[in-house]
Amino acid sequence: MARRWIALVVGVALSVAAAPAYAAGADALTPTWANVNICNASQLGVRAQLAGDGSSERMQVRFTAEWLGPDGWVPLAGQPISPWVDAGSAVFTWNQAGWNFDLAIPATGTTYQLRAVAEMKLGSGRSASYTTGTCSVAG
């Protein structure tokens, strides 16, 4: 009976000891990304997944909506930058957060390419920047 208890205690101790190592390696196991999930003439919706690192810090993301102009990618007119959006604690393997931008695409028959850039605070002083894929909106 004593051997079972010792085996149980050793098993629990090893599991607890391995947990921080798993959380610290979360970047390798859980991808960080950003993508467009709504794209129409009235809204651009963007979402990001942030990989936690096991720390108790808060993760945050801020999005900048852009369109492809004649000279390259430029921020949309109006309010192209979201506030910092809370994505939860970095203690978790991953969390997601998103933002919707209201659009007023002029009805000119022109097609516009849109995307967003996500600036991320991942915890423990880590940061990242990801660019979403593009989408097309006709005015």
Side-chain angles (χ1 to χ4, degrees):
M1 182 73 166
R3 287 185 190 183
R4 286 187 198 172
W5 281 106
I6 291 172
L8 178 62
V9 169
V10 170
V12 169
L14 289 174
S15 297
V16 170
Y22 172 78
D27 287 346
L29 300 174
T30 304
T32 298
W33 49 259
N35 67 23
V36 171
N37 59 2
I38 300 173
C39 185
N40 59 50
S42 64
Q43 275 192 329
L44 175 66
V46 291
R47 187 156 201 81
Q49 178 167 293
L50 294 77
D53 65 357
S55 73
S56 60
E57 294 183 29
R58 304 298 295 177
M59 294 187 291
Q60 295 180 312
V61 59
R62 177 173 62 186
F63 300 97
T64 301
E66 298 178 334
W67 72 284
L68 184 56
D71 297 322
W73 290 100
V74 294
L76 294 177
Q79 295 183 328
I81 302 174
S82 75
W84 283 101
V85 179
D86 184 64
S89 174
V91 73
F92 298 107
T93 304
W94 61 270
N95 279 319
Q96 293 184 3
W99 188 260
N100 288 341
F101 292 95
D102 291 326
L103 303 177
I105 303 295
T108 61
T110 304
T111 299
Y112 299 93
Q113 291 288 316
L114 304 176
R115 73 177 189 182
V117 176
E119 300 170 73
M120 302 176 186
K121 295 179 182 177
L122 299 168
S124 299
R126 298 176 313 128
S127 63
S129 180
Y130 284 82
T131 302
T132 67
T134 64
C135 67
S136 299
V137 176

